[in-house]
C-alpha cells in the first residue's frame, strides 16, 4: 500500500483499504519519525484491519526535492515464514519462535495456542536474556 503524507492509503492491492487512514499505526509513525528513505521499518506483529496477523515493512518516501510525501508498506503474513520456522526444530521436544525485536511473538513451530502476539520482553524470559547478552546465538 502507498500512504500519503497524512496517512491515508492512496493505492493498495486490497481495494477495500483505499481511502482509509492509518496515521496512528506504528509502521507509519516510525517511518515518519525516522525520516530516513534508506531505512526499512519492521512493525511489531499486529492484527490488520482485514483481520490478518502480520508484520509490516515500511519505507519513508520523499519527492525529488526531499520533501515527505508518504510511506510505502508491505504486509508480511505468517504463512510466508512458516517453512523457515518449521525447519528449526530437529526433535519432538523442540520449538522455535519468530519474535520481533520488541519481544512480540509472530510465529511458533510447532504451533502453540495463545503464543502468537505474546510479549516476551519481560526481563526473566529467555528472549530478553538473549537480547541483553548481545550474542548472535545462545545455548
Amino acid at each position: 500500500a502507498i500512504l500519503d503524507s497524512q496517512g491515508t492509503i492512496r493505492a493498495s492491492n486490497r481495494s477495500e483499504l483505499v481511502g482509509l487512514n492509518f496515521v496512528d499505526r506504528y509502521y507509519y509513525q516510525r517511518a515518519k519519525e525516522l525520516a530516513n528513505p534508506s531505512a526499512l521499518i519492521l512493525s511489531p506483529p499486529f492484527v490488520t484491519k482485514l483481520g490478518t496477523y502480520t508484520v509490516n515493512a515500511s519505507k519513508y518516501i520523499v519527492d525529488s526535492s526531499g520533501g515527505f510525501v508518504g510511506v510505502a508498506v508491505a504486509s508480511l503474513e505468517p504463512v510466508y515464514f512458516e517453512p523457515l520456522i518449521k525447519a528449526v526444530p530437529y526433535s519432538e521436544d523442540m520449538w522455535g519462535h519468530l519474535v520481533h525485536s520488541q519481544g512480540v511473538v509472530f510465529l511458533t513451530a510447532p504451533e502453540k495456542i495463545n503464543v502468537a502476539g505474546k510479549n516476551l520482553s519481560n526481563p526473566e524470559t529467555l528472549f530478553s536474556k538473549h537480547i541483553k547478552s548481545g550474542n548472535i546465538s545462545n545455548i
Side-chain angles (χ1 to χ4, degrees):
I2 304 296
L3 288 73
D4 66 17
S5 62
Q6 303 303 308
T8 300
I9 294 182
R10 295 299 174 195
S12 174
N13 65 322
R14 302 297 301 258
S15 60
E16 61 269 45
L17 296 176
V18 175
L20 297 180
N21 187 280
F22 293 100
V23 71
D24 61 330
R25 295 289 180 136
Y26 176 89
Y27 54 83
Y28 177 88
Q29 290 289 323
R30 185 71 174 140
K32 193 169 178 187
E33 175 186 318
L34 290 178
N36 181 350
S38 298
L40 178 67
I41 288 82
L42 291 177
S43 74
F46 70 102
V47 177
T48 69
K49 180 82 170 172
L50 301 175
T52 304
Y53 194 65
T54 191
V55 168
N56 277 358
S58 60
K59 295 277 288 180
Y60 183 83
I61 304 171
V62 296
D63 60 19
S64 60
S65 63
F68 175 63
V69 294
V71 174
V73 180
S75 294
L76 310 173
E77 296 181 8
V79 68
Y80 177 81
F81 297 97
E82 281 180 359
L84 171 70
I85 197 71
K86 285 181 177 178
V88 172
Y90 56 83
S91 71
E92 291 182 21
D93 63 342
M94 289 184 68
W95 40 262
H97 293 313
L98 185 57
V99 183
H100 184 271
S101 64
Q102 292 180 351
V104 179
V105 177
F106 183 50
L107 185 62
T108 301
E111 187 175 345
K112 303 236 184 253
I113 297 173
N114 298 326
V115 174
K118 186 174 182 176
N119 192 325
L120 301 179
S121 63
N122 178 312
E124 298 303 314
T125 65
L126 291 174
F127 171 80
S128 291
K129 290 175 183 178
H130 167 68
I131 295 298
K132 186 176 180 180
S133 78
N135 296 331
I136 292 173
S137 64
N138 283 300
I139 297 176

